[in-house]
Amino acid sequence: MMLDIKNIDVLYDDFQVIWDVSLNVNNSEMVALLGPNGSGKSTVLNTVSNLVEHKKGEIFFDKELISNIPTYHRTSIGISHVLERRRVFPHLTVKQNLLLGAWHPKAKESLDKSLSKIYKIFPKLESRSSQLAHTMSGGEQQMLAIARGLMGLPKLLMVDEPFLGLSPMVVKDLISIFKSIVSEGISILFVEQNVRLALSMADRGYVLESGRLVVSGSSKDLIDSDKVKKVFLGS
């Protein structure tokens, strides 16, 4: 098991947003975290990265308890987090963005090898290596953000809303890239609102509603689940 979240509660000041949530991601597995707007999906990812603290429960990564270690250490042990809406450095070039993803010592040692590998996965980024990030399309920026995350040599890649605002053609390309990443032995945990799209590509899914885990299971069991439909469409 790569990631194991056990019974976490998360509060913003005195306002609780996550109640007793447990989930896990296995080695070389793609897992979708689903739920309506405001259900707490991004908060769970932010908690794994320690951008938000949890008040109860434990988080294990690669069998190591990481609940109390700082964000930068979580990155160096193999957790990469691609935030919602890409968050590339707009006035840096594509290559400069990628190099910033390889900030910790182990990633720096493999810099040339990682860059070569990234350019094979994302050939368009090589041809655009000197282009400023803000001049790229939304789909290209999303690919850059994911590629920058991979430059940190993750064992687990977390991606928040990877398909938001993208064309069907770009979505299709990203799905293929995600499957390629998992085939390389990297686990993926991603947040998505499009249930059918997410479950068509993920091995398993978890569904949050108002900060609580309401259903989980294999994608084939969830894709036509009445309980999942009720969460998103109402009774």
Side-chain angles (χ1 to χ4, degrees):
M1 190 178 296
M2 183 59 61
L3 176 69
D4 190 14
I5 300 174
K6 295 186 174 182
N7 308 108
I8 60 169
D9 286 352
V10 180
L11 290 79
Y12 291 123
D13 295 323
D14 295 327
F15 184 71
Q16 188 163 353
V17 292
I18 297 293
W19 282 263
D20 197 36
V21 165
S22 298
L23 63 86
N24 60 72
V25 181
N26 296 316
N27 293 317
S28 303
E29 185 180 39
M30 196 185 315
V31 174
L33 185 56
L34 309 166
N37 277 331
S39 59
K41 305 182 301 296
S42 296
T43 298
V44 171
L45 265 58
N46 290 339
T47 305
V48 175
S49 291
N50 200 37
L51 300 176
V52 178
E53 292 184 359
H54 57 286
K55 303 301 180 184
K56 174 197 163 189
E58 297 174 316
I59 300 175
F60 292 85
F61 180 72
D62 208 10
K63 299 182 181 179
E64 176 187 356
L65 180 65
I66 64 168
S67 295
N68 297 314
I69 67 172
T71 300
Y72 70 87
H73 184 56
R74 298 188 192 198
T75 305
S76 65
I77 63 173
I79 300 173
S80 284
H81 185 179
V82 180
L83 296 167
E84 185 182 359
R85 299 187 185 279
R86 297 134 205 168
R87 311 288 180 94
V88 297
F89 295 98
H91 297 290
L92 297 181
T93 66
V94 167
K95 187 173 182 180
Q96 287 169 333
N97 269 273
L98 292 173
L99 295 179
L100 285 172
W103 67 271
H104 59 81
K106 187 176 179 181
K108 287 179 180 177
E109 290 174 7
S110 302
L111 187 59
D112 291 339
K113 183 179 178 181
S114 296
L115 201 57
S116 177
K117 191 172 182 178
I118 287 299
Y119 286 155
K120 287 180 181 177
I121 299 172
F122 303 92
K124 187 173 287 188
L125 296 184
E126 183 174 19
S127 64
R128 306 286 184 89
S129 61
S130 60
Q131 184 174 338
L132 295 179
H134 77 90
T135 66
M136 303 174 77
S137 70
E140 291 166 345
Q141 289 186 36
Q142 185 63 280
M143 290 183 183
L144 175 57
I146 293 169
R148 184 180 60 191
L150 291 172
M151 288 292 292
L153 303 180
K155 299 175 185 177
L156 171 68
L157 180 69
M158 302 191 301
V159 191
D160 197 342
E161 298 279 11
F163 309 119
L164 185 65
L166 302 184
S167 70
M169 184 66 72
V170 174
V171 169
K172 184 179 179 181
D173 289 344
L174 279 177
I175 290 172
S176 177
I177 288 167
F178 272 35
K179 291 179 178 178
S180 175
I181 290 169
V182 170
S183 73
E184 294 285 334
I186 299 170
S187 303
I188 294 179
L189 174 63
F190 70 101
V191 162
E192 180 55 44
Q193 289 190 56
N194 185 326
V195 178
R196 191 159 290 275
L197 170 64
L199 294 178
S200 70
M201 56 187 284
D203 298 297
R204 293 186 297 116
Y206 292 88
V207 180
L208 291 174
E209 184 178 26
S210 302
R212 293 176 170 86
L213 183 63
V214 292
V215 62
S216 64
S218 69
S219 292
K220 65 179 182 179
D221 290 336
L222 294 180
I223 198 161
D224 292 313
S225 164
D226 289 339
K227 192 166 186 178
V228 172
K229 292 176 183 176
K230 183 176 179 181
V231 170
F232 284 88
L233 302 176
S235 56

